[in-house]
Amino acid sequence: MDGEEERGYWRWSKRDFFPEESFQSFGSYRAALSQTCSRFKNRLVSRSDDENERVELRKQSEHEMKRCLTWWDLVWFGFGSVIGAGIFVLTGQEARQEAGPAIVLSYVVSGFSAMLSVFCYTEFSVEVPVAGGSFAYLRIELGDFAAFITAGNILLESVVGTAAVGRAWTSYFATLLNRKPNDLRAKTDVLSPGFNLLDPIAVVVIAASATIASISTRKTSLLNWIASAVNTIVILFVIIAGFIHADATNLTPFLPYGPEGVFRAAAVVYFAYTGFDSIVTVAEETKNPSKDIPIGLLGSMSIITVIYCLMALALSMMQRYTDIDPNAAYSVAFQSVGMKWGKCLVALGALKGMTTVLLVGALGQARYVTHIARTHMIPPLFALVHPKTGTPINANLLVTIPSALIALFSGLDVLASLLSISTLFIFTMIPLALLVRRYYVREVTPRADLLKLIICILIVVTSSMCTSAYWGMNLKGSWIGYTITVPFWFLGTLGIVFFVPQQRSPKVWGVPLVPWIPCLSIATNIFLMGSLEAQAFVRFGVCTLVMLLYYFLFGLHATFDMAHQQIVPRS
């Protein structure tokens, strides 16, 4: 350790990127590739454990992150990480194009699904308070490969989500200056639509947020608290003033695009709820995780769900859905009712909200990356914690640079659907892992009980996918399929209740009504995934193929060597 401290934080040698034995020479790498099948089988069946994630892997960072956060910080992190581009931008976009006034129902559906996920996250984060969040939880319960696929989607979510918020920031900044949302972007004819509006302002904002988050966790929390408090005042103004200027006739027709539109919009506005997982990534820096995390997560998300529904209803009553501006909905809506000063206040509040989303996002994303790097799934250089700031600066750079580049080129509509499917996939895996954690303990659970658990989970997942697919077929007036798929989901869940004994109980805080809540979370997330357009799945598939290519060429061999301690010393 002393030798490593003397080397300093900033290091760029080959061994800092690839210290594993498999990458020390061309011959060793070729030998590693020849063992890909056996190594993959090993990683597929191997599992981590709570102690390894909480204690051993943290040594890879060389320095500890500072425990400086309380439940109060986490509640405001919840507000800061969630209330931003989603509610201020996607509400208008989806109300105009997919749901109409029923956008409020879209927020109810996605909020319900998000709360189910929050319950599952909370139990894990209390039991395993580490920076890795969902990645660490899946390594423990489902193994390295499932954790890697999720890790890839976490990084994708981090990069794309940051880029999306950066683009939205520019739109609202333009409206604050009484300009059109795209006026501050540079149009180029060289690139195709959706990628031809260059956004240098988004790049600057993303870089500034990442810099602040890298300086100090405590100072970032204080800045987030102040900005979120101001933003809360603006939100209350939006709700109250919106209802004062409400016109109930704007709610007719309430379902212009039918129930299908409500669920398509729900799948996209789910993005508005993403970010709460950033709270669990700072568990390592929380003073009392068993008390602070449940209060921070459940408290903030309950309030946010109510706020979102009220804001969506206020917008729908202020302006007819066909007149809603998809880029800066609330600002333009207030201008339309004669409150030009309200337009500026809303735009300022939206900017503050999106700024805190970027701040908290930069904080959480860097900690995800840090823990992923601790396992050597990505180069361990990104696991290092700076000795003075107590923050993972390298990890922050890994997310910030590609986010800024994507924000420069990609439109919000392109980013939102990709982000939603990635997030929904992650949130489907967590309740699945929770079921495994409660009902299966290695070398304890009888093989017969494990087989029954696998069968029941397969029934739950398959019936959920069939329900989603049947809905996607858009057979108007036909409910026959649901009379088959929904009872199968019910029977699969009931099978766990009666035929699979629980093997583990939570030590401090646990999800109530297990297995019902985890199974319902799986079903709602899969259903929302099925409501997205086909193009989102194509993009998701391409990204997944790229992840798998990286895994089999690098990640698999690095994690295998790490697990078997075939690491060349840094010093």
Side-chain angles (χ1 to χ4, degrees):
M1 176 67 75
D2 292 339
E4 290 175 356
E5 285 180 353
E6 290 175 3
R7 295 181 60 207
Y9 183 80
W10 304 107
R11 43 181 106 152
W12 304 96
S13 69
K14 177 189 172 184
R15 288 187 178 180
D16 291 312
F17 281 92
F18 297 106
E20 302 82 14
E21 183 64 36
S22 294
F23 304 107
Q24 295 313 301
S25 67
F26 181 76
S28 59
Y29 181 58
R30 186 171 56 186
L33 289 178
S34 69
Q35 301 171 31
T36 297
C37 291
S38 61
R39 289 186 171 197
F40 177 61
K41 182 179 178 181
N42 175 273
R43 294 289 81 209
L44 198 61
V45 299
S46 298
R47 300 290 185 271
S48 181
D49 56 52
D50 293 15
E51 185 73 10
N52 184 53
E53 298 296 316
R54 288 190 295 106
V55 180
E56 294 302 319
L57 285 180
R58 288 170 66 172
K59 297 175 183 177
Q60 293 290 315
S61 294
E62 298 185 7
H63 300 92
E64 291 285 328
M65 296 184 193
K66 299 174 182 177
R67 289 191 178 274
C68 56
L69 304 176
T70 66
W71 67 266
W72 180 256
D73 296 296
L74 298 189
V75 167
W76 286 105
F77 270 143
F79 277 87
S81 65
V82 175
I83 299 179
I87 185 63
F88 283 109
V89 177
L90 291 182
T91 307
Q93 176 181 301
E94 295 305 305
R96 174 77 175 264
Q97 301 170 1
E98 298 289 356
I103 187 66
V104 64
L105 297 183
S106 299
Y107 274 106
V108 171
V109 171
S110 54
F112 175 72
S113 180
M115 282 301 299
L116 294 176
S117 298
V118 166
F119 272 108
C120 298
Y121 261 93
T122 302
E123 178 170 329
F124 269 118
S125 60
V126 169
E127 300 262 321
V128 192
V130 296
S134 52
F135 171 73
Y137 313 151
L138 293 180
R139 261 176 55 86
I140 294 170
E141 303 303 334
L142 300 182
D144 256 20
F145 185 67
F148 168 77
I149 296 297
T150 304
N153 279 281
I154 288 169
L155 293 178
L156 179 64
E157 176 196 8
S158 300
V159 171
V160 174
T162 300
V165 177
R167 296 283 295 198
W169 200 98
T170 303
S171 294
Y172 265 87
F173 184 59
T175 61
L176 187 63
L177 301 177
N178 289 317
R179 308 278 293 274
K180 293 181 179 179
N182 285 326
D183 280 358
L184 299 182
R185 299 186 175 109
K187 187 174 182 179
T188 175
D189 297 327
V190 177
L191 302 173
S192 59
F195 302 92
N196 61 342
L197 291 175
L198 305 184
D199 196 337
I201 294 177
V203 174
V204 173
V205 173
I206 290 171
S209 301
T211 301
I212 294 171
S214 295
I215 293 173
S216 166
T217 300
R218 185 63 200 159
K219 290 177 181 177
T220 302
S221 176
L222 180 60
L223 184 59
N224 170 71
W225 185 89
I226 296 170
S228 296
V230 173
N231 196 36
T232 301
I233 296 172
V234 175
I235 287 169
L236 290 175
F237 163 77
V238 169
I239 294 172
I240 295 171
F243 280 109
I244 290 174
H245 291 85
D247 183 352
T249 60
N250 288 330
L251 295 178
T252 306
F254 188 67
L255 289 165
Y257 301 103
E260 298 85 358
V262 171
F263 287 104
R264 283 196 301 269
V268 174
V269 300
Y270 198 94
F271 169 42
Y273 290 97
T274 61
F276 72 80
D277 48 333
S278 294
I279 300 175
V280 302
T281 65
V282 295
E284 210 169 291
E285 296 155 273
T286 303
K287 293 180 179 178
N288 187 356
S290 61
K291 182 191 78 171
D292 296 338
I293 292 175
I295 295 175
L297 263 175
L298 298 174
S300 61
M301 286 303 297
S302 299
I303 299 170
I304 287 166
T305 301
V306 175
I307 286 174
Y308 277 2
C309 293
L310 290 175
M311 288 184 70
L313 184 60
L315 177 66
S316 298
M317 295 180 74
M318 284 176 66
Q319 203 171 18
R320 187 170 174 78
Y321 75 94
T322 52
D323 298 327
I324 291 175
D325 187 292
N327 291 301
Y330 288 92
S331 292
V332 175
F334 275 99
Q335 186 177 25
S336 70
V337 296
M339 296 180 66
K340 291 185 178 181
W341 62 272
K343 168 190 172 182
C344 295
L345 182 61
V346 170
L348 184 61
L351 285 178
K352 284 184 175 295
M354 285 181 275
T355 301
T356 58
V357 167
L358 289 171
L359 276 174
V360 180
L363 204 71
Q365 292 152 12
R367 279 137 189 84
Y368 266 132
V369 172
T370 298
H371 201 76
I372 294 170
R374 285 170 176 171
T375 69
H376 289 221
M377 202 162 277
I378 59 177
L381 179 78
F382 299 106
L384 298 178
V385 172
H386 197 280
K388 291 184 179 179
T389 65
T391 59
I393 298 177
N394 286 343
N396 220 329
L397 289 172
L398 185 63
V399 176
T400 302
I401 293 172
S403 295
L405 290 174
I406 292 174
L408 182 63
F409 296 101
S410 304
L412 183 63
D413 55 341
V414 174
L415 298 172
S417 60
L418 179 59
L419 179 66
S420 291
I421 192 171
S422 178
T423 303
L424 287 166
F425 174 79
I426 297 168
F427 291 170
T428 301
M429 296 295 287
I430 292 300
L432 185 62
L434 182 64
L435 289 174
V436 174
R437 184 174 183 83
R438 287 288 194 98
Y439 292 93
Y440 173 68
V441 176
R442 289 185 294 280
E443 300 178 358
V444 174
T445 303
R447 189 176 181 84
D449 288 342
L450 174 60
L451 184 60
K452 286 185 283 187
L453 176 63
I454 292 173
I455 292 172
C456 290
I457 288 177
L458 285 174
I459 292 173
V460 168
V461 173
T462 303
S463 60
S464 300
M465 292 175 68
C466 290
T467 301
S468 180
Y470 191 74
W471 174 266
M473 292 168 66
N474 198 20
L475 301 174
K476 295 184 181 296
S478 177
W479 295 89
I480 297 175
Y482 303 124
T483 62
I484 300 173
T485 60
V486 174
F488 263 98
W489 174 88
F490 184 80
L491 289 174
T493 308
L494 205 63
I496 298 176
V497 174
F498 286 106
F499 300 113
V500 187
Q502 279 203 43
Q503 300 289 342
R504 181 189 282 123
S505 298
K507 298 174 184 176
V508 180
W509 192 96
V511 176
L513 300 176
V514 173
W516 296 102
I517 285 182
C519 288
L520 189 57
S521 180
I522 291 170
T524 54
N525 286 324
I526 290 176
F527 185 83
L528 289 177
M529 284 177 70
S531 299
L532 290 167
E533 77 277 8
Q535 192 62 34
F537 284 90
V538 172
R539 293 168 185 153
F540 178 75
V542 171
C543 291
T544 301
L545 286 175
V546 173
M547 294 173 199
L548 290 175
L549 182 65
Y550 169 83
Y551 180 71
F552 285 110
L553 291 178
F554 297 99
L556 168 62
H557 308 293
T559 53
F560 180 88
D561 286 352
M562 175 65 179
H564 296 82
Q565 291 302 306
Q566 298 176 26
I567 308 296
V568 177
R570 287 192 181 117
S571 56

